[in-house]
Amino acid sequence: RMEQNERAKELLAYSRRSVKEVALSCGFSDQNYFSKVFAKETGRTPTQYRKDEARVLDNLTAVEYD
């Protein structure tokens, strides 16, 4: 399951795939179950994780151009 979780984090952070597509790519047939498992393991929903990571990436990009 740890591999699935790492793959999900990567896809959520760096792709534009929907949460449903990420779930399917990680071997989950049910988006709701995927979201529940992801939240239990990370403390954030997939959508919140994506938003948080987008902020981090935006900040890194801003620092590179300062």
Side-chain angles (χ1 to χ4, degrees):
R1 188 179 286 184
M2 197 173 221
E3 238 177 72
Q4 286 176 314
N5 197 34
E6 291 305 311
R7 176 80 174 134
K9 287 179 179 179
E10 183 179 303
L11 290 172
L12 289 166
Y14 302 112
S15 79
R16 294 183 183 267
R17 292 183 188 185
S18 69
V19 173
K20 182 176 183 175
E21 290 173 319
V22 171
L24 292 172
S25 294
C26 294
F28 291 88
S29 59
D30 183 308
Q31 176 185 342
N32 292 327
Y33 180 67
F34 164 72
S35 294
K36 184 177 181 178
V37 170
F38 188 88
K40 184 177 181 184
E41 294 185 8
T42 65
R44 296 180 277 179
T45 66
T47 302
Q48 188 61 52
Y49 181 85
R50 176 174 270 164
K51 287 178 185 175
D52 292 347
E53 290 302 304
R55 277 190 221 108
V56 169
L57 292 174
D58 285 346
N59 288 339
L60 289 174
T61 303
V63 169
E64 288 178 19
Y65 292 106
D66 281 349

